């Protein structure tokens, strides 16, 4: 008798007891479904976090002037005055093989005014490359030009929150508003990004040429900037980029070997790593839960198969009497268990995907269903079938035909 | 000229209890091709044990058993299964059909384990056999839809599937009414005339009357054999 025949016999036996077969599968079905659904939601959540982090900027590296104690006053990050827009230009020119975009950033807390409405926010003085670094896109109008940047024109681009608060339903682009009592022309309106991971409203912002902000709003004679935003071609070059940026800045700032850096770099990989470790922990926990649920499902299968062997003992005796070898009996019951487990696994994957989609739709959560986790669950359920199906099948194959036929 | 079935000094001793039970206590008998043999005796006489050993369902404690000239005693479970599949057919008191399985599929079962025929040939042979036992139109019925007599006919058709030279029947009419019993025994008589050897266990005299040879057993001994003189 070929394996195909034994398979057929096993499938026929399963279909002869549809209700019991389904009940046997249930443990596996729910176990796999729970794993698939929770994994889909978990992966979706971490994908969303990663997406939000990358929204902060494209391959972003930030360089801050060193917080350097000035007398007794300890200044915050970006409080140093030793970094200039020329540093940014130098990095962009000399490290163009690593750096795609570079923008200095000068911040100025400012009071905005349009007609009778007031709004206070932070004006970011940046370069024309800033939108490419931070993934800002325009809803209306344009970003300021390089020419406007060079001549420190009084133009600005505003976020949606500022537009709502100052302009209401009015079209902001083309209007003139006052920043710290100086007239600025609004040339563009940014697309909304919403709140960032820390709950700050990213749309509550005004962007103007850094030249303008530095000269007009800060009124500073220094050319110092608060930070520089750099965008790498490739995040794999991160270590090399940090090394070269550091070397170049040390050279430009004329630091001797014994002196510490007077700047500090930050990048999003640190945050990504944290998320990665959280996700990793979650995956381990889910795997444990999955293993337990499948163990329970497997025990269910073994239980039913043992009952089935006892219940069908006459059938076993008859099959042996008409010529089934012990191996064929073993194969039949083992295949029954495997078919039950894998069919349960398939139904479980389908149910899990369905439940994940449903929860995602109701709660508006992103869902990421990985083919690998579905395949793994399916494969594991087959293994559960083999593992927990073997003992009952082995017992069946060891039975004596006479005892089976006489069994009452 | 060797016999189809030849057993010599067959012992079957059950040693589970403190006092060993000699179910077979040195039985020797030979059966030729085409004989219709009834094994009779009171319950506990050892007739069922004898049938089980002859049917390769059980193994003797000692003694020799030649089936078709081949030694059977001492074979592995797998080899015994192959012998049962190819050379022996079984008919049981309680029919032992697979429930919720059609008559055709029940009849086809022995060849599934042998795998000699193609699917189509297997189906054709099963239908032929069902027609042969008078159930031509009942192939798609399940056991629950058949009467006791009809179920036993399906069982007989199944026993004939692999064209075995010997048919073993254990109280084949024990669960049947008189009319069905007579029909089954008439079928056995026809099969016997076609050359199939039949060995049947029964305790009913009118059923045994259909056989051409009668073995009487008592306490594990063969006490009478109207075909030949029994060994002491």
């Amino acid at each position: 008798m070929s394996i195909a025949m034994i398979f057929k016999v096993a499938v026929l036996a399963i279909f002869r007891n549809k209700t019991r077969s389904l009940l046997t599968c249930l443990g596996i079905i729910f176990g796999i479904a729970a794993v698939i659904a929770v994994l889909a939601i978990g992966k979706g959540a971490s994908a969303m976090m990663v997406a939000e982090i990358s929204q902060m900027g494209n391959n972003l590296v930030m360089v801050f002037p060193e917080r350097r104690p000035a007398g007794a006053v300890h200044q915050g990050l970006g409080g140093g005055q030793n970094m200039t827009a020329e540093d940014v230009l130098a990095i962009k020119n000399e490290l163009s093989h690593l750096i795609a975009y570079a923008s200095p950033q000068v911040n100025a807390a400012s009071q905005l005014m349009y007609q009778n409405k007031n709004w206070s926010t932070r004006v970011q003085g940046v370069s024309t490359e800033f939108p490419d670094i931070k993934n800002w896109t325009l809803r209306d109008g344009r970003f300021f030009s390089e020419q406007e940047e060079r001549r420190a024109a009084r133009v600005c681009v505003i976020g949606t929150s500022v537009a709502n608060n100052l302009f209401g339903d009015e079209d902001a682009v083309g209007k003139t508003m006052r920043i710290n009592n100086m007239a600025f022309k609004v040339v563009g309106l940014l697309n909304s990004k919403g709140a960032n991971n820390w709950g700050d409203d990213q749309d509550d912002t005004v962007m103007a040429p850094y030249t303008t902000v530095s000269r007009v709003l800060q009124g500073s004679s220094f050319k110092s900037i608060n930070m520089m935003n750099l965008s790498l071609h490739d995040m794999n070059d991160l270590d090399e980029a940090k090394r070269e940026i550091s070397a170049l800045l040390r050279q430009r700032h004329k630091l001797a070997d014994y002196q510490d850096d007077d700047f500090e770099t930050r990048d999003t990989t640190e945050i990504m790593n944290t998320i990665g470790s959280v996700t990793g922990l979650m995956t381990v926990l889910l795997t444990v839960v999955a293993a337990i649920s499948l163990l329970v499902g497997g025990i269910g299968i073994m239980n039913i198969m043992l009952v089935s062997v006892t219940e069908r003992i006459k059938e076993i005796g008859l099959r042996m009497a008409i010529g089934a070898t012990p191996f064929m009996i073993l194969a039949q019951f083992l295949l029954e268990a495997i078919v039950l487990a894998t069919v349960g696994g398939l139904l479980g994957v389908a149910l899990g995907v369905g439940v994940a989609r449903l929860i995602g739709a109701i709660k508006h959560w992103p869902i990421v269903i990985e083919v690998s986790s579905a395949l793994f669950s399916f494969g594991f359920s087959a293994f559960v079938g083999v593992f927990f199906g073997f003992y009952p099948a082995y017992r069946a194959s060891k039975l004596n035909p006479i005892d089976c036929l006489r069994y009452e | 000229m060797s016999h189809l079935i030849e057993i010599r000094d067959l012992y079957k001793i059950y040693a589970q209890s403190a006092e060993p039970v000699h179910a077979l206590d040195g039985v020797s008998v030979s059966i030729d091709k085409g004989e219709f043999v009834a094994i009779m005796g009171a319950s506990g006489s050892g007739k069922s044990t004898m049938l089980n050993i002859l049917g390769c369902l059980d193994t003797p404690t000692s003694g020799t058993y030649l089936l078709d000239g081949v030694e059977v005693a001492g074979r592995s479970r797998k080899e015994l299964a192959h012998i049962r599949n190819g050379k022996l057919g079984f008919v049981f008191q309680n029919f032992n059909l697979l429930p919720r399985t059609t008559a055709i599929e029940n009849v086809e079962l022995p060849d599934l384990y042998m795998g000699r025929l193609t699917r189509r040939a297997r189906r054709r042979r099963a239908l032929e056999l069902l027609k042969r036992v008078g159930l031509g139109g009942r192939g798609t019925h399940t056991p629950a839809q058949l009467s006791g007599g009809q179920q036993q006919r399906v069982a007989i058709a199944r026993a004939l599937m692999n064209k075995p030279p010997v048919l073993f029947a254990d109280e084949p009419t024990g669960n049947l009414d008189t009319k069905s019993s007579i029909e089954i025994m008439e079928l056995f008589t026809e099969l016997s005339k076609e050359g199939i050897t039949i060995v049947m266990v029964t305790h009913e005299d009118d059923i045994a009357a259909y056989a051409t040879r009668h073995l009487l057993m008592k306490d594990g001994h063969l006490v009478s054999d109207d075909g030949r003189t029994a060994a002491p």
Side-chain angles (χ1 to χ4, degrees):
Chain A
M1 191 189 214
S2 63
I3 289 291
M5 283 292 185
I6 298 175
F7 183 77
K8 194 182 157 199
V9 167
V11 171
L12 283 176
I14 288 169
F15 274 96
R16 231 183 290 136
N17 278 300
K18 291 189 193 72
T19 314
R20 192 181 60 195
S21 301
L22 183 69
L23 288 173
T24 310
C25 288
L26 277 183
I28 295 280
I29 292 176
F30 286 130
I32 296 282
V35 171
I36 293 285
V38 175
L39 267 180
I41 293 165
K43 293 277 180 189
S46 73
M48 185 170 71
M49 281 191 275
V50 169
E52 275 182 17
I53 300 291
S54 60
Q55 204 189 36
M56 285 174 60
N58 256 334
N59 301 343
L60 182 65
V61 174
M62 295 168 279
V63 186
F64 297 91
E66 172 74 326
R67 329 166 208 202
R68 172 174 287 181
V73 183
H74 197 98
Q75 292 179 296
L77 200 61
Q81 298 197 326
N82 46 5
M83 193 178 280
T84 64
E86 276 75 42
D87 286 335
V88 181
L89 285 175
I91 284 174
K92 185 168 166 43
N93 291 335
E94 294 184 31
L95 303 181
S96 60
H97 58 293
L98 294 166
I99 310 288
Y101 304 107
S103 169
Q105 184 171 338
V106 185
N107 298 327
S110 309
Q111 189 69 21
L112 315 182
M113 215 161 69
Y114 176 72
Q115 291 174 347
N116 59 343
K117 279 175 243 159
N118 275 286
W119 187 252
S120 67
T121 189
R122 191 175 70 155
V123 174
Q124 292 173 292
V126 294
S127 81
T128 53
E129 291 180 4
F130 191 69
D132 294 318
I133 301 172
K134 293 274 194 156
N135 290 333
W136 281 104
T137 51
L138 286 161
R139 178 185 289 179
D140 196 10
R142 59 174 177 86
F143 209 73
F144 52 80
S145 67
E146 281 180 42
Q147 199 201 359
E148 285 165 330
E149 180 185 306
R150 267 200 301 281
R151 62 183 172 81
R154 295 184 185 184
V155 291
C156 69
V157 173
I158 61 176
T160 50
S161 296
V162 173
N164 288 340
N165 283 300
L166 280 184
F167 295 92
D169 294 334
E170 264 186 78
D171 205 353
V173 175
K175 302 275 163 34
T176 299
M177 67 174 184
R178 303 186 82 82
I179 302 178
N180 288 0
N181 232 4
M182 275 166 285
F184 276 73
K185 191 181 178 194
V186 179
V187 296
L189 175 64
L190 296 164
N191 267 319
S192 173
K193 270 192 181 186
N196 66 14
N197 282 341
W198 294 274
D200 296 333
D201 180 7
Q202 299 176 92
D203 299 322
D204 185 9
T205 188
V206 173
M207 292 172 197
Y210 71 94
T211 45
T212 316
V213 174
S214 159
R215 231 175 274 172
V216 177
L217 294 178
Q218 288 191 323
S220 163
S221 53
F222 295 111
K223 285 182 174 177
S224 71
I225 58 173
N226 293 100
M227 63 184 286
M228 58 175 93
N229 297 287
L230 307 172
S231 179
L232 302 189
H233 289 296
D234 187 345
M235 216 51 179
N236 292 326
D237 299 334
L238 180 66
D239 291 335
E240 188 192 347
K242 276 175 157 178
R243 254 196 325 275
E244 301 224 359
I245 291 164
S246 173
L248 186 61
L249 286 178
R250 286 185 68 89
Q251 183 201 334
R252 288 182 58 83
H253 294 179
K254 300 186 173 64
L255 295 175
D257 287 344
Y258 62 87
Q259 281 176 297
D260 289 336
D261 287 350
D262 61 349
F263 53 87
E264 197 174 331
T265 56
R266 291 280 176 92
D267 62 79
T268 48
T269 54
E270 294 159 25
I271 306 163
M272 293 282 194
N273 287 343
T274 311
I275 289 177
S277 65
V278 170
T279 320
L281 181 69
M282 202 159 72
T283 308
V284 169
L285 284 175
L286 284 175
T287 311
V288 170
V289 171
I292 292 172
S293 68
L294 286 173
L295 183 77
V296 172
I299 291 169
I301 284 194
M302 179 151 77
N303 187 17
I304 296 286
M305 290 310 292
L306 281 172
V307 170
S308 178
V309 166
T310 309
E311 191 190 87
R312 285 153 64 189
I313 196 156
K314 289 217 167 199
E315 176 191 327
I316 294 167
L318 180 271
R319 286 182 185 279
M320 285 179 159
I322 62 173
T325 61
F327 170 77
M328 289 169 183
I329 298 293
L330 176 93
Q332 180 192 333
F333 280 88
L334 191 55
L335 272 174
E336 265 183 51
I338 294 171
V339 169
L340 283 175
T342 47
V343 168
L346 272 183
L347 292 175
V349 169
L351 182 67
V353 169
V355 166
R357 289 248 168 89
L358 188 69
I359 292 176
I362 292 170
K363 294 272 194 177
H364 301 291
W365 287 346
I367 297 297
V368 175
I369 292 155
E370 286 183 336
V371 177
S372 64
S373 64
L375 283 179
F376 176 78
S377 306
F378 178 67
F380 196 77
S381 62
F383 168 77
V384 163
V386 175
F387 188 81
F388 290 100
F390 187 82
Y391 175 65
Y394 179 76
R395 265 193 22 169
S397 75
K398 283 292 157 196
L399 289 169
N400 199 347
I402 283 297
D403 298 335
C404 296
L405 289 167
R406 277 206 202 115
Y407 188 88
E408 291 301 333
Chain B
M1 161 78 199
S2 68
H3 306 286
L4 182 62
I5 290 172
E6 186 166 4
I7 58 175
R8 210 165 289 150
D9 290 329
L10 216 56
Y11 285 84
K12 180 68 181 182
I13 300 163
Y14 295 104
Q16 293 114 316
S17 53
E19 197 129 326
V21 178
H22 291 239
L24 288 183
D25 204 7
V27 178
S28 299
V29 72
S30 49
I31 296 168
D32 285 325
K33 190 168 163 16
E35 283 193 285
F36 185 174
V37 181
I39 302 175
M40 305 188 64
S43 94
S45 61
K47 61 182 193 298
S48 289
T49 306
M50 171 101 144
L51 190 79
N52 289 336
I53 290 174
L54 289 178
C56 297
L57 292 167
D58 208 350
T59 48
T61 311
S62 71
T64 57
Y65 173 16
L66 294 174
L67 175 65
D68 220 356
V70 180
E71 177 59 63
V72 169
R75 300 252 174 185
S76 71
R77 283 157 58 82
K78 182 183 169 185
E79 287 169 322
L80 289 177
H82 288 315
I83 291 169
R84 290 194 296 270
N85 184 231
K87 294 193 169 174
L88 313 176
F90 291 92
V91 178
F92 302 96
Q93 179 175 359
N94 50 14
F95 325 132
N96 274 325
L97 299 178
L98 292 189
R100 279 160 284 180
T101 306
T102 65
I104 293 177
E105 284 167 339
N106 266 295
V107 175
E108 285 178 336
L109 204 54
D111 186 67
L112 281 182
Y113 286 109
M114 179 176 265
R116 187 168 50 188
L117 301 176
T118 63
R119 206 162 126 157
R120 185 177 287 179
R122 186 185 311 131
R123 175 97 353 160
R124 202 184 313 125
R125 171 144 179 85
L127 285 169
E128 273 168 24
L129 285 168
L130 282 173
K131 204 179 280 178
R132 172 74 190 76
V133 299
L135 291 175
R138 309 281 174 130
T140 55
H141 290 219
T142 61
Q145 296 167 320
L146 296 170
S147 72
Q150 288 169 330
Q151 289 186 54
Q152 194 62 300
R153 285 156 188 268
V154 174
I156 292 168
R158 179 180 65 192
L160 296 172
M161 184 69 191
N162 286 353
K163 300 181 180 170
V166 194
L167 202 62
F168 291 102
D170 189 359
E171 304 271 12
T173 59
N175 283 4
L176 299 177
D177 57 45
T178 317
K179 184 169 169 286
S180 301
S181 299
I182 291 169
E183 285 169 4
I184 294 295
M185 291 325 293
E186 279 169 353
L187 183 55
F188 272 17
T189 309
E190 284 170 33
L191 293 172
S192 172
K193 280 178 183 154
E194 286 169 21
I196 293 173
T197 310
I198 301 175
V199 179
M200 171 177 77
V201 159
T202 183
H203 63 270
E204 294 172 74
D205 290 337
D206 50 343
I207 295 301
Y210 286 88
T212 55
R213 181 180 170 193
H214 304 83
L215 307 179
L216 183 63
M217 296 201 59
K218 193 182 177 190
D219 299 330
H221 296 278
L222 191 57
V223 292
S224 130
D225 179 355
D226 58 10
R228 254 154 285 205
T229 312

